[in-house]
Amino acid sequence: MNVLDKITFTICSLSLAACSMSAQPTDFTKAAESTINGVVSIKCYATPRSYGYGSGGLDPFSDPFFDYFFGNRRQQRRQPQEQEQQQTGLGSGVIISDDGYIVTNNHVIDGAEKLEIVLNDNRTFNATVIGTDPNTDLALVKIEADDLHVIPMGNSDDLKVGEWVLAVGNPFSFTSTVTAGIVSAKARNISQITQGHSMGIESYIQTDAAVNPGNSGGALVNLKGELVGINTAIYSKTGNYVGYSFAIPSTIVKKIVGDIKEYGAVQRAMLGISFSELSTKLAKEKNITAVNYGIYVAKVEERSAAMEGGLQEGDVIIAINDIPTRTTAQMQEQMNKFRPGDKVTVKFIRDNKEKTVTVTLRNSQGNTKLTKASDIFDLGCAFIEVPAETLKQLEIRHGVQVSGVKAGKFKDAGIKDGFIILDINNTRVTSKDDIEKIYKEIIKNNGSDKVMFITGIYPTGKKVYYAVDLTE
């Protein structure tokens, strides 16, 4: 052994010794043991529809978009005459209260006619949907049970990149499966990998914990056994795990679930600005030298919290309540935590000087009122099939007739009994289901305008147009 070899060996030996002294084994067992009983399997059942080849329709579960999710909702195509409920999906859920409240992903339960919850001890319950929020892909369901094992809610804001986390769920029907990984990134925007599909929120916890079909709606926990996220999507071209998974942060989960339980509807707070991320090019154009990151205010909306607080076009927002807003995803994550009426501190740059202002957040209507749960019954009428002789007389081929108008949105708009709805918002109406679908799409829209523009005809032949305001 020459001198160089001796030196090299000595250095390596010292390094190994130092590593053995400093490295501490990571113990996942306590976190795993404390959480597996708090994660459930969710089986979804529905009556098969006539989707598929040769039926004149498209199978929604064949959309490549669903490859980014874990619901495993695809099923064998069956003959149209089979009308019995069949299992259409499998996912996971997290018990958040000992009296049976369970949080999961909206896409796991969407379209299900029956939900079956299987606990880790194999007890089975039917679940009731308390509320859903497609915008954040979250849903709250409940089973009638007591003394259930609860996973305590953690604070995803405290997570650090590189921190160990566990994914707990039911991939491929393998119950109580635990995988480990680290936090790869926070406030991750994944729109670039979802082929342009909107994911509602764009601020995810990215991890490399292995997740697969069936994990969706399951728990992401830290080593204390606290819930820090709900596993929601994966980056995959096959639908199976290839290295990255994404979870909704627990700060958002806590707020959304709290809103659904307390108000029956999600309360969304608005700052009231149009914005873009500050880029090097934009900073140079606007002579912004104090920062090279942040949310550039392109426009301040009227009747908004931003206008009341004195924010101006050209300001660069760098923090909300002292939490940095370097990117759109970070800004969105912060705003998702608040309700109309909440006061927040906005830190921003103007004329290359740092300033701070406190504003009271508003809703999409420009006030601080809280939103109540909306239901199609708020329209205040029933919908019936148009008699064949009426269709023939009016020379129309489709429509749905309004009946029994009482106090509600339709009466406020001037709609009377007998009115036949032909289309709503330029969408043809052929059944009550069409009306309900359009109604739900309008209600879940985050914009300020929630209006049904209705074209229709009375049995007398008079064609009429109505605008039905669905806002509070």
Side-chain angles (χ1 to χ4, degrees):
M1 182 181 295
N2 57 36
V3 174
L4 183 58
D5 288 336
K6 288 182 179 179
I7 293 173
T8 303
F9 178 80
T10 302
I11 292 173
C12 290
S13 298
L14 288 171
S15 299
L16 289 170
C19 288
S20 64
M21 292 174 62
S22 61
Q24 297 294 325
T26 302
D27 186 3
F28 303 129
T29 59
K30 290 184 179 179
E33 289 172 358
S34 67
T35 55
I36 56 173
N37 289 320
V39 176
V40 304
S41 175
I42 300 179
K43 296 179 181 179
C44 304
Y45 296 86
T47 304
R49 304 290 186 243
S50 57
Y51 294 117
Y53 301 109
S55 66
L58 296 176
D59 184 349
F61 304 132
S62 66
D63 189 335
F65 173 54
F66 281 83
D67 285 343
Y68 292 100
F69 295 118
F70 314 142
N72 195 24
R73 300 176 65 85
R74 302 186 184 196
Q75 60 179 356
Q76 292 182 337
R77 294 181 174 86
R78 303 177 187 275
Q79 296 300 318
Q81 65 266 24
E82 293 187 34
Q83 296 300 315
E84 299 85 2
Q85 284 186 341
Q86 303 291 336
Q87 184 174 335
T88 58
L90 176 68
S92 302
V94 180
I95 301 172
I96 58 171
S97 70
D98 61 4
D99 58 347
Y101 283 97
I102 296 167
V103 64
T104 185
N105 285 135
N106 178 65
H107 76 261
V108 168
I109 68 165
D110 189 32
E113 298 169 2
K114 174 186 173 184
L115 295 176
E116 187 176 274
I117 306 296
V118 183
L119 305 186
N120 193 43
D121 61 9
N122 288 328
R123 283 186 292 165
T124 301
F125 300 86
N126 288 331
T128 302
V129 177
I130 302 300
T132 64
D133 183 40
N135 288 293
T136 53
D137 195 19
L138 290 171
L140 183 67
V141 303
K142 190 178 187 304
I143 60 175
E144 295 304 317
D146 296 311
D147 299 323
L148 298 176
H149 184 90
V150 176
I151 298 181
M153 193 74 70
N155 187 349
S156 53
D157 284 345
D158 294 337
L159 277 178
K160 292 180 172 35
V161 174
E163 181 176 342
W164 281 105
V165 286
L166 304 181
V168 189
N170 305 283
F172 303 118
S173 298
F174 296 128
T175 59
S176 308
T177 297
V178 180
T179 55
I182 62 169
V183 176
S184 305
K186 294 180 66 178
R188 177 66 80 198
N189 184 319
I190 63 174
S191 59
Q192 68 271 22
I193 67 169
T194 57
Q195 302 174 350
H197 289 275
S198 174
M199 301 286 287
I201 68 166
E202 294 296 350
S203 183
Y204 293 87
I205 301 166
Q206 179 183 326
T207 80
D208 63 355
V211 289
N212 278 293
N215 272 109
S216 194
L220 185 73
V221 300
N222 59 22
L223 294 192
K224 297 178 183 177
E226 297 171 331
L227 184 70
V228 292
I230 295 295
N231 295 316
T232 298
I234 55 177
Y235 175 46
S236 172
K237 295 181 179 180
T238 65
N240 296 332
Y241 174 74
V242 294
Y244 297 111
S245 59
F246 303 91
I248 301 170
S250 63
T251 52
I252 294 177
V253 175
K254 184 177 181 180
K255 192 266 181 182
I256 298 298
V257 168
D259 282 354
I260 291 174
K261 284 184 70 174
E262 186 171 353
Y263 306 105
V266 178
Q267 310 299 320
R268 288 196 161 83
M270 309 286 180
L271 187 56
I273 60 172
S274 298
F275 62 88
S276 62
E277 291 182 14
L278 183 66
S279 64
T280 302
K281 180 181 179 182
L282 183 59
K284 187 175 182 179
E285 288 177 359
K286 303 298 182 180
N287 194 31
I288 299 170
T289 59
V291 290
N292 56 11
Y293 65 87
I295 300 301
Y296 180 81
V297 178
K299 179 183 178 182
V300 176
E301 305 292 340
E302 295 182 353
R303 299 174 62 240
S304 67
M307 177 171 281
E308 180 188 38
L311 289 173
Q312 300 175 8
E313 179 181 336
D315 291 345
V316 180
I317 299 173
I318 58 174
I320 300 289
N321 282 0
D322 293 324
I323 298 179
T325 54
R326 293 172 175 263
T327 64
T328 299
Q330 289 178 325
M331 179 73 171
Q332 187 184 55
E333 183 173 349
Q334 294 313 307
M335 294 306 299
N336 266 304
K337 299 176 183 177
F338 304 111
R339 300 184 177 111
D342 287 347
K343 293 182 182 296
V344 299
T345 300
V346 181
K347 188 180 294 184
F348 62 97
I349 301 296
R350 178 184 296 168
D351 298 328
N352 290 313
K353 295 179 181 178
E354 186 177 298
K355 297 179 179 292
T356 301
V357 66
T358 299
V359 302
T360 302
L361 299 175
R362 302 184 182 187
N363 59 27
S364 61
Q365 303 304 308
N367 58 58
T368 58
K369 291 182 180 178
L370 297 178
T371 304
K372 69 174 185 178
S374 296
D375 194 287
I376 194 169
F377 292 111
D378 292 340
L379 298 180
C381 65
F383 300 102
I384 61 175
E385 186 178 348
V386 183
E389 58 270 22
T390 303
L391 291 174
K392 184 177 180 180
Q393 175 189 339
L394 297 174
E395 298 181 333
I396 56 177
R397 296 180 179 178
H398 66 91
V400 175
Q401 194 162 37
V402 175
S403 175
V405 176
K406 57 183 181 180
K409 301 289 187 181
F410 269 27
K411 185 175 183 179
D412 293 343
I415 297 175
K416 299 177 176 59
D417 278 358
F419 179 65
I420 299 169
I421 299 172
L422 299 177
D423 66 69
I424 301 175
N425 293 4
N426 295 319
T427 300
R428 176 171 159 161
V429 171
T430 61
S431 67
K432 177 183 176 181
D433 289 344
D434 290 340
I435 298 174
E436 189 166 359
K437 181 179 179 181
I438 296 169
Y439 176 87
K440 288 180 178 179
E441 288 294 327
I442 296 171
I443 290 298
K444 76 178 184 181
N445 177 25
N446 284 332
S448 58
D449 296 326
K450 297 182 186 293
V451 183
M452 278 184 163
F453 294 104
I454 302 177
T455 300
I457 189 170
Y458 280 98
T460 59
K462 182 180 180 181
K463 197 168 185 179
V464 185
Y465 304 89
Y466 290 107
V468 179
D469 185 3
L470 299 183
T471 57
E472 294 301 312

